[in-house]
Amino acid sequence: MAEPGPAACLLLLPLLLSPALAGGADDTEWVRLPSKCEVCKYVAVELKSAFEETGKTKEVIDTKYGFLDGKGSGIKYTQSDIRLIEVTETICKRLLDYNLHKERTGSNRFAKGMSETFETLHNLVHKGVKVVMDIPYELWNETSAEVADLKKQCDVLVEEFEDVIEDWYRHHQKEDLAQFLCANHVLKGKDTSCLAEQWASKKGDVATTGEKKTKKKGGKNKKAAERKKKNKKEKVEEAKSHLDPSAEGSPEEEGDIQPKAPLAHSPADEL
């Protein structure tokens, strides 16, 4: 008797995403909203990443327009208020790129990329397996309640500790942002254990905070661009050598051209 194909399989996973199975939590904790420590930790992570991204430019902002006598001077964008405002105004939206990874413990449950659980489920669906869950397939990639609350708490935190972030930006950038913002201010006198939690990523794991992956990707793109530029330059030089009439031909080309022969004439022609 032949075995049924993948399309005929029915997989019942009504409790696959339950915290009780993933992390040993109570069944009643279907939604466990982020703690203040988790919120501050990832706000610090994204602030650091955003400042690193915007700190590579050498742009200078002209401030003369603000003075009637035109005596204003330029200021580097990396030291400007504009950079600080642009980063802080968009920082919480970056948290919506995170997903909930119920197979992980502690604050590591928040990370970018698809979770191992949903990656497995998507692969099964693509193979033709019918997966039945409490969550409709159309909502698998929607923002979870935990991530939505992470963004909501971020908005409140950034507004409440705006002066602290500005103080770090102007005077303390050499200090660790998570320590300065979270341990010294937001979580002062409270639990800060989540700040020390690190995720040991597995081989092939695409769900990370995105920092190292972005850097590596950027390096590859840079090398590829350099190779492309070099190849383009070589092609241009090669084309010029073919079009240049003064360029010396190859031995083969010279061999193909017959030497000019003198015209034959008879003594009668000379008369």
Side-chain angles (χ1 to χ4, degrees):
M1 180 177 177
E3 295 182 359
C9 296
L10 179 63
L11 189 62
L12 298 175
L13 296 170
L15 299 176
L16 182 60
L17 301 181
S18 171
L21 296 180
D26 192 340
D27 286 337
T28 59
E29 295 183 5
W30 173 257
V31 176
R32 184 163 59 91
L33 299 180
S35 65
K36 199 164 188 177
C37 182
E38 290 174 323
V39 174
C40 193
K41 175 180 181 177
Y42 290 106
V43 168
V45 167
E46 290 305 318
L47 278 173
K48 181 181 177 182
S49 178
F51 280 124
E52 287 178 351
E53 292 169 5
T54 58
K56 299 175 182 179
T57 180
K58 295 182 180 179
E59 180 183 356
V60 176
I61 299 174
D62 186 7
T63 59
K64 293 182 181 180
Y65 66 87
F67 299 86
L68 295 177
D69 56 6
K71 292 183 179 180
S73 59
I75 182 173
K76 292 182 178 180
Y77 172 78
T78 54
Q79 300 173 354
S80 67
D81 291 343
I82 295 177
R83 180 190 179 204
L84 175 63
I85 293 171
E86 289 178 344
V87 168
T88 53
E89 282 186 347
T90 59
I91 198 64
C92 293
K93 292 181 181 179
R94 295 167 67 108
L95 295 180
L96 294 177
D97 293 334
Y98 283 69
N99 284 309
L100 187 66
H101 298 247
K102 286 184 176 289
E103 69 275 2
R104 300 184 182 184
T105 59
S107 61
N108 292 318
R109 64 194 178 115
F110 293 104
K112 294 180 180 179
M114 187 180 295
S115 68
E116 293 179 19
T117 300
F118 274 110
E119 186 176 4
T120 301
L121 294 177
H122 276 289
N123 290 336
L124 289 173
V125 172
H126 292 160
K127 291 178 180 180
V129 178
K130 185 176 181 180
V131 179
V132 179
M133 292 177 54
D134 290 344
I135 304 175
Y137 178 78
E138 294 76 15
L139 299 180
W140 284 11
N141 296 326
E142 291 295 318
T143 302
S144 66
E146 290 88 344
V147 172
D149 191 72
L150 187 70
K151 193 267 182 186
K152 182 179 179 181
Q153 289 193 53
C154 171
D155 290 330
V156 176
L157 187 150
V158 171
E159 182 178 356
E160 183 178 353
F161 292 92
E162 180 181 359
D163 294 339
V164 177
I165 297 173
E166 182 178 352
D167 184 34
W168 176 87
Y169 176 72
R170 299 191 185 284
H171 309 112
H172 304 280
Q173 289 196 32
K174 291 184 179 180
E175 296 185 34
D176 179 69
L177 183 54
Q179 178 66 32
F180 185 87
L181 174 62
C182 302
N184 297 352
H185 292 87
V186 178
L187 303 172
K188 189 174 183 179
K190 300 178 182 178
D191 180 24
T192 61
S193 58
C194 81
L195 300 179
E197 294 174 350
Q198 299 291 333
W199 173 251
S201 59
K202 303 175 183 178
K203 184 177 181 181
D205 186 8
V206 296
T208 63
T209 55
E211 294 178 355
K212 293 182 179 179
K213 184 178 180 182
T214 302
K215 184 176 181 181
K216 184 177 180 181
K217 184 178 180 181
K220 287 185 177 179
N221 289 341
K222 185 176 180 181
K223 290 181 179 179
E226 290 176 354
R227 287 196 300 269
K228 186 176 180 181
K229 185 176 180 181
K230 184 178 179 181
N231 293 337
K232 185 177 180 181
K233 185 177 180 181
E234 291 176 352
K235 289 181 180 180
V236 171
E237 294 295 335
E238 183 179 354
K240 285 183 178 180
S241 65
H242 286 299
L243 295 175
D244 189 356
S246 63
E248 295 182 359
S250 63
E252 294 181 0
E253 293 174 341
E254 292 178 355
D256 294 337
I257 301 176
Q258 296 182 356
K260 185 176 180 181
L263 295 174
H265 59 276
S266 60
D269 295 333
E270 295 179 356
L271 298 176

